[in-house]
Amino acid sequence: MIQVKGYAAIDPTSPLAPFSFQRRDLREHDVLVDILFSGVCHSDLHQARDEWGGSIYPMVPGHEIVGKVIKVGNHVKKFKVGDRAGVGVMIDSCRQCKPCNNYMEQYCAEGMTGTYNNYERDMKTIAQGGYSTQIVCDERWVYHISDKLDLAGVAPLLCAGITTYSPLKFAKVRPGDRVAVAGLGGLGHMAVKFAVAMGAEVTMLSTSPSKAKDAKKLGAHHFVLSTDETAMKKHHSHFDVVVDTVSADHDYEIYLKLLDLHGKLLVVGLPKDEPHVNPFELLKNRRSIIGSMIGGTVETQEMLDFCAEKNIVADIEIISMQKINEAYERLLKSDVKYRFVIDMASLK
Ligand code: NAP
Ligand code: ZN
Ligand code: ZN
């Protein structure tokens, strides 16, 4: 077994604290990644605090993992020692069902194995995430990272990146499409970058007036304060796509109303409560609401390659592992530009 240091939540209310645990010895298709940076997703906070229910403790969160391969199993084909590598939100799946056979393992009929807050396929071992020094993972769920990109800035691509790239691709966003992004946080800022890179005319919908300048810097063409009813009304029936990345409880209606004929509300934010939807608003303009969960293994690699080609990384604030509880509090105040990334050297 491989001894690893990490930070864990031991229950929904205590702060995260140092935690030592063991990773399995490498199987034939496994890769051992020395973790250099780990992004902080709002889902880490939701799960550490059991906001979705059913959390498994102790929990080492973290599913935006980048580092270097330091060991490979006998049958590993994709990686060699020294390669840059990333691990995202899942580490396994049944590998046999229709979604798995189509490399959409996040929709595995038996349920994907999440990188943490999940049991591994043996249903006994608790999977532990990236707020740790090393991870062992089957190579199918490990991704190549171009040497051209800043490694710390790549970490958030493994969740915030793929989670926004995948629905924009699914919605077939094309040059000239009018795309709005709700919520300028980790996911929101990546959605803006991708929609701009796909040639869309992008509008930021934010509750924070102070983020207007940044939205423009990120490439958004317009900024609308979503708490300003008059400004929102002006955009009714205006957009082809709205990407909802909001982490706090809210109704879908304010965003639904913004959709033009056949407009799509792409839901990726996962607040605690169930939002209310008025069917009359849905029927108007034949609007649709589409949920989207991260992205499959092939699409995740495609997204990373797209980022290398377009020189896209996340805008980040690097923190030490010891600052994680403070970072969670700041996340709740929407006070992050635009992703915290933990420098794992602080734990080694
Ligand atoms: P984040 O960095 O905290 O950003 C969330 C943003 O939501 C905030 O920056 C804020 O932007 C906006 N917001 C906060 N409170 C709001 C309110 N009351 N009304 C409207 N907007 C509000 O979070 P994140 O890491 O991007 O994650 C966003 C959500 O996506 C979380 O719920 C997370 O669990 C979920 N998620 C889903 C998937 C998936 O596979 N679908 C993957 C990863 C994460 P403004 O200041 O601009 O308003
Ligand atoms: Zn995430
Ligand atoms: Zn499956």
Side-chain angles (χ1 to χ4, degrees), residues 46 50-53 244 246-252 267 269-277:
H46 287 311
D50 199 21
E51 290 178 355
W52 297 336
D244 178 352
V246 174
S247 56
D249 294 330
H250 64 288
D251 271 341
Y252 287 159
V267 173
L270 283 168
K272 243 186 332 194
D273 287 349
E274 290 163 24
H276 165 80
V277 176

Side-chain angles (χ1 to χ4, degrees), residues 42-43 46 184 186-187 206-208 211 245 268 270 292 294 339:
H42 207 113
S43 302
H46 287 311
L184 185 41
L187 267 58
S206 172
T207 60
S208 309
K211 293 182 183 171
T245 78
V268 290
L270 283 168
S292 190
I294 50 168
R339 199 58 142 187

Side-chain angles (χ1 to χ4, degrees), residues 5 7 35-36 133 318-323 341-348:
K5 280 196 233 168
Y7 255 57
I35 303 177
L36 297 174
T133 47
I318 295 186
I319 58 166
S320 65
M321 187 69 256
Q322 294 74 15
K323 291 277 184 202
V341 170
I342 305 161
D343 181 352
M344 290 329 295
S346 59
L347 197 59
K348 287 174 185 165

Side-chain angles (χ1 to χ4, degrees), residues 214-257:
D214 284 358
K216 296 267 167 77
K217 254 195 258 163
L218 291 166
H221 305 93
H222 315 282
F223 181 90
V224 176
L225 192 63
S226 52
T227 48
D228 177 344
E229 277 181 35
T230 321
M232 288 291 273
K233 225 173 179 173
K234 277 192 200 146
H235 292 83
H236 281 183
S237 298
H238 180 75
F239 296 106
D240 302 302
V241 165
V242 176
V243 187
D244 178 352
T245 78
V246 174
S247 56
D249 294 330
H250 64 288
D251 271 341
Y252 287 159
E253 228 124 288
I254 65 161
Y255 304 127
L256 262 185
K257 285 187 169 136

Side-chain angles (χ1 to χ4, degrees), residues 140-186:
R140 175 162 172 177
W141 285 268
V142 184
Y143 309 100
H144 285 286
I145 297 166
S146 161
D147 286 331
K148 286 201 290 194
L149 298 175
D150 169 61
L151 196 60
V154 169
L157 301 180
L158 275 308
C159 175
I162 184 60
T163 300
T164 48
Y165 178 87
S166 182
L168 288 169
K169 290 291 279 194
F170 184 74
K172 298 193 171 64
V173 168
R174 287 190 190 88
D177 280 0
R178 295 152 306 165
V179 173
V181 177
L184 185 41

Side-chain angles (χ1 to χ4, degrees), residues 93-101 104-105 107-112 121:
S93 68
C94 87
R95 310 176 188 205
Q96 288 168 10
C97 68
K98 198 167 147 196
C100 283
N101 284 333
M104 287 190 277
E105 302 90 340
Y107 303 118
C108 172
E110 291 183 13
M112 67 172 196
R121 300 313 286 183

Side-chain angles (χ1 to χ4, degrees), residues 1 17-18 22-23 39 41 47 52 77 81-82 87 144 149 188 201-202 204 211 228 251 277 284 294 346:
M1 299 291 272
Q22 291 184 321
R23 302 276 190 197
C41 179
Q47 293 175 90
W52 297 336
K77 291 196 182 77
V81 170
V87 178
H144 285 286
L149 298 175
E201 183 182 339
V202 180
M204 185 73 233
K211 293 182 183 171
D228 177 344
D251 271 341
V277 176
K284 183 169 178 184
I294 50 168
S346 59

